[in-house]
Amino acid sequence: MASIAHDEHGHGHAHGHHDVHHHEENFVSKYIFSQDHKMIGKQFLMTAVFMGLVAMLLSILFRIQLAWPGESSDFLSFFLGEKWAPGGVLKEDMYLGLVTIHGTIMVFFLLTGGLSGTFSNLLIPLQIGARDMASGFMNMLSYWFFFLSSLLMLVSLFVESGPAMAGWTIYPPLSALPQAVSGSGMGMTLWLFSMAIFIASSLIGSLNYIVTVINLRTKGMSMTRMPLTIWAFFVTAILGVLSFPVLLSAALLLIMDRLAGTSFYLSDIIVGGEMLANHGGSPILYQHLFWFLGHPEVYIVLLPALGLSSEVIATNSRKPIFGYKAMIGSILAIGFLSFIVWGHHMFVTGMNPFLGSVFVFTTLLIAIPSAVKVFNYLTTLWKGSLILTPAMLFAIGLVSTFITGGVTGIILADSALDIAIHDTYFVVAHFHIVMGMSAVFGMFAGVYHWFPKMFGRMMNTRLGYAHFWITIVGAYGVFFPMHFVGIAGAPRRYYDYSVYGEFDTNSYEMIMDLNVIITIFAILAALGQGLFLFNFFYSMFRGQVAPQNPWNANSLEWTTPVEHVHGNWPGELPTVHRWPYDYSKPGSDVDFIPQTVPLADGEEEH
């Protein structure tokens, strides 16, 4: 009895405190230095969307060069000026700079910051029934580190000697020797400092998410009643805590090689006829450190997208998600296996073939939990009463791209096959479909589905449909033909493929023609994102006002009021009685039963 009284007192006290706090907020404390997880989620989303637009523009700039090499373009000269595009023709080193920054922004700033930063912040407290994150201050700090790191990355584009030009993986020696290429100077240093700050942001955020999920679940919210979104964010945060410090150490050693004269990654190098004094380092060490982060990073990007899709697909199929515990198991298995597959990026480094075969085995093994997820999505969709909202279309699109990209992954996982197509456009096609497209589709599904929760208004459905079809046709049009460019032998990161005309006429014509087609689709897909931006910002201010539970969903976030309250629920926190997927339950009169509804007499939990 005492504990109940204490509990009520606690909630009442918290509520009163938040109410007072709510009235005192001014513009700066509410919108800039906010400690409210919902506002921080929106800040992450806005920053990530802006960074994504920059990365998309960079990709259009270098695609123009690939489609029409050596031809003058007003578009290039407008954005890059005479220094980097003299006479409207892109310079070779700036081509590498654009590719590098495009890849870096997409992987880290759009997909990691945009997915985990936005949706872990928005949904973790709301779906587990918590007032806020474990530490609002650390949460705010994680956003501002992210913002600062984004700013540094953008500034590096305007450095006189150019941005980093060693590819998004920043392999030494290109990245370790300031005299290697023009972008190895100040631009490279800014890249490294930007990533160091980004990693700090990611670690602070991830620790906060983990503590919140473990400690702040509301009464009745056991681990097996959590939505799959929360499981995905939880495992993602654990992956981030375990793998990002390895990239930080790799970056710190690289900074020391650049600035302090050490030789962690350098040995026996001749530059411009002069033998450097560095001895004993190994660039392969850097690859081990980078890919030890780099492979969990793929799943740090993918798992939140898969989690969001689980929720969207179950809600819009009006069916329980198929194999809930198998889905949790597959999330955990993917998380574990992602740490023991990094060597498949390194099959051509002279690795011992036996060690290579071990990595082949673990890489093929990770296909099993991934396939479990795909089959569970398909069985959830099978014979469901599908409601094709824009969010649902993007979630189904994710299932499609995950299958398409996964099939080519099996080819790359085999060391004997990989040697032939390593570092060709086949690899670019594979990871853009499986990681880029799938994660972006998951992100769009999340934005369309939870927009009413974020802004209290609905997005325009017709514009959403148009956006989906332009995006999926455009994206497949860009990345599918790249497989054939890669099989024809075109290496990635080449500035001009017209040299192929010298020795392989057939491949040359195919590569050049496909590059034109790919670029046209890329421009089409980029223009399609304009629809999304218009829909997003217009709906934020002028969209139809959202009802409390627009999708008839069961999870806790739809029990909060439409107007945002600091503390999420006025009065007491909700109590959970069931799992979040009681849709179309046999014997029930209603289509959906929210988690807060107690079990009826004789009713069994799932």
Side-chain angles (χ1 to χ4, degrees):
M1 197 61 204
S3 68
I4 294 170
H6 172 73
D7 201 13
E8 285 181 356
H9 170 70
H11 287 320
H13 173 71
H15 173 51
H17 165 71
H18 283 302
D19 243 19
V20 174
H21 179 67
H22 195 66
H23 294 306
E24 286 173 5
E25 283 190 317
N26 55 22
F27 180 83
V28 174
S29 71
K30 184 170 181 187
Y31 291 106
I32 299 176
F33 297 113
S34 174
Q35 295 187 19
D36 180 7
H37 70 98
K38 300 182 287 295
M39 183 57 68
I40 294 171
K42 289 184 215 173
Q43 289 172 322
F44 266 107
L45 182 62
M46 300 292 184
T47 314
V49 165
F50 178 75
M51 293 298 279
L53 286 175
V54 172
M56 197 167 65
L57 172 67
L58 301 183
S59 68
I60 298 297
L61 294 174
F62 65 71
R63 285 260 29 125
I64 288 173
Q65 160 61 28
L66 290 174
W68 302 284
E71 290 182 29
S72 177
S73 156
D74 293 341
F75 191 72
L76 288 176
S77 53
F78 173 75
F79 280 104
L80 298 172
E82 273 305 298
K83 179 171 169 60
W84 296 115
V89 179
L90 184 62
K91 279 184 79 171
E92 296 96 322
D93 49 354
M94 191 54 178
Y95 169 79
L96 283 174
L98 295 175
V99 170
T100 301
I101 303 297
H102 163 79
T104 306
I105 289 179
M106 282 307 218
V107 171
F108 295 111
F109 294 90
L110 175 68
L111 299 178
T112 307
L115 270 164
S116 282
T118 303
F119 291 105
S120 298
N121 261 310
L122 176 73
L123 294 178
I124 287 176
L126 284 171
Q127 288 195 336
I128 65 170
R131 294 259 177 232
D132 204 324
M133 282 289 172
S135 166
F137 178 74
M138 275 173 67
N139 208 12
M140 176 185 81
L141 214 56
S142 101
Y143 170 70
W144 282 107
F145 277 171
F146 176 70
F147 181 79
L148 182 61
S149 133
S150 307
L151 211 57
L152 274 181
M153 195 57 76
L154 291 176
V155 165
S156 78
L157 281 167
F158 299 96
V159 174
E160 193 178 357
S161 57
M165 294 176 183
W168 78 274
T169 51
I170 310 295
Y171 279 177
L174 268 187
S175 56
L177 299 171
Q179 66 270 46
V181 280
S182 58
S184 293
M186 185 63 181
M188 185 68 239
T189 306
L190 283 170
W191 190 97
L192 287 164
F193 282 116
S194 166
M195 282 314 298
I197 297 169
F198 174 84
I199 292 166
S201 152
S202 175
L203 286 173
I204 296 172
S206 296
L207 288 168
N208 217 347
Y209 306 150
I210 292 168
V211 172
T212 306
V213 171
I214 291 175
N215 287 343
L216 296 184
R217 301 193 306 280
T218 187
K219 190 177 173 190
M221 177 63 79
S222 63
M223 293 294 269
T224 48
R225 284 178 178 171
M226 294 197 309
L228 289 169
T229 32
I230 303 300
W231 272 103
F233 297 141
F234 181 57
V235 173
T236 301
I238 294 170
L239 294 187
V241 167
L242 295 176
S243 62
F244 267 118
V246 180
L247 182 64
L248 184 61
S249 59
L252 289 175
L253 298 184
L254 191 51
I255 290 171
M256 288 164 75
D257 271 11
R258 291 170 56 79
L259 305 178
T262 55
S263 297
F264 290 107
Y265 306 131
L266 298 171
S267 184
D268 309 328
I269 292 179
I270 299 170
V271 178
E274 175 202 350
M275 183 80 175
L276 299 186
N278 302 85
H279 284 294
S282 162
I284 302 295
L285 166 65
Y286 177 85
Q287 291 198 28
H288 277 294
L289 292 173
F290 182 88
W291 288 117
F292 189 80
L293 155 95
H295 213 84
E297 170 64 24
V298 170
Y299 294 101
I300 287 171
V301 162
L302 264 175
L303 282 176
L306 294 169
L308 294 169
S309 299
S310 304
E311 189 67 24
V312 171
I313 286 174
T315 305
N316 290 297
S317 300
R318 312 311 295 164
K319 272 175 71 180
I321 192 88
F322 184 85
Y324 173 77
K325 288 193 172 152
M327 290 291 253
I328 295 173
S330 68
I331 291 174
L332 294 169
I334 287 172
F336 170 70
L337 288 168
S338 69
F339 280 99
I340 49 175
V341 296
W342 80 90
H344 66 218
H345 296 270
M346 300 170 60
F347 286 146
V348 297
T349 56
M351 175 191 284
N352 179 322
F354 174 73
L355 189 59
S357 68
V358 173
F359 281 119
V360 170
F361 175 69
T362 55
T363 306
L364 292 173
L365 213 55
I366 210 167
I368 297 170
S370 305
V372 168
K373 294 197 83 62
V374 166
F375 285 124
N376 287 17
Y377 289 141
L378 294 176
T379 22
T380 306
L381 291 164
W382 177 250
K383 293 195 172 176
S385 312
L386 304 189
I387 303 167
L388 294 175
T389 62
M392 182 66 157
L393 288 178
F394 274 108
I396 295 171
L398 174 141
V399 178
S400 153
T401 56
F402 196 53
I403 296 169
T404 315
V407 169
T408 53
I410 293 171
I411 297 167
L412 289 165
D414 189 305
S415 54
L417 295 175
D418 179 69
I419 286 166
I421 46 177
H422 185 84
D423 259 342
T424 66
Y425 260 85
F426 192 89
V427 177
V428 179
H430 159 72
F431 81 77
H432 275 86
I433 289 180
V434 79
M435 178 178 159
M437 278 173 73
S438 300
V440 167
F441 277 25
M443 191 169 165
F444 281 136
V447 171
Y448 280 105
H449 191 76
W450 280 282
F451 189 87
K453 196 72 258 161
M454 282 192 262
F455 299 104
R457 292 178 182 272
M458 305 295 288
M459 285 180 85
N460 182 299
T461 311
R462 284 187 177 170
L463 284 176
Y465 290 149
H467 172 225
F468 168 75
W469 287 112
I470 293 172
T471 305
I472 194 163
V473 171
Y476 266 126
V478 171
F479 300 120
F480 205 77
M482 281 186 188
H483 292 102
F484 304 104
V485 177
I487 292 170
R492 59 181 178 171
R493 295 191 192 147
Y494 271 35
Y495 165 76
D496 183 352
Y497 291 97
S498 54
V499 292
Y500 267 67
E502 305 293 323
F503 59 88
D504 185 351
T505 330
N506 297 340
S507 293
Y508 163 68
E509 285 177 4
M510 186 185 98
I511 289 167
M512 298 310 286
D513 290 347
L514 282 177
N515 265 327
V516 173
I517 291 169
I518 289 169
T519 301
I520 290 167
F521 271 115
I523 293 167
L524 174 80
L527 292 173
Q529 306 319 304
L531 280 178
F532 168 73
L533 286 173
F534 171 76
N535 193 357
F536 185 82
F537 288 106
Y538 182 82
S539 303
M540 198 188 296
F541 299 106
R542 295 287 180 85
Q544 180 191 341
V545 174
Q548 185 172 9
N549 188 354
W551 317 119
N552 291 340
N554 290 339
S555 43
L556 289 183
E557 75 269 31
W558 304 106
T559 62
T560 62
V562 178
E563 309 77 42
H564 285 174
V565 181
H566 197 115
N568 295 336
W569 284 269
E572 287 194 31
L573 290 171
T575 303
V576 171
H577 299 278
R578 57 182 72 233
W579 74 327
Y581 299 109
D582 271 340
Y583 294 106
S584 310
K585 191 165 186 180
S588 167
D589 306 336
V590 281
D591 179 29
F592 68 106
I593 313 172
Q595 283 187 279
T596 48
V597 175
L599 293 169
D601 288 342
E603 184 187 355
E604 285 183 25
E605 207 176 340
H606 68 282

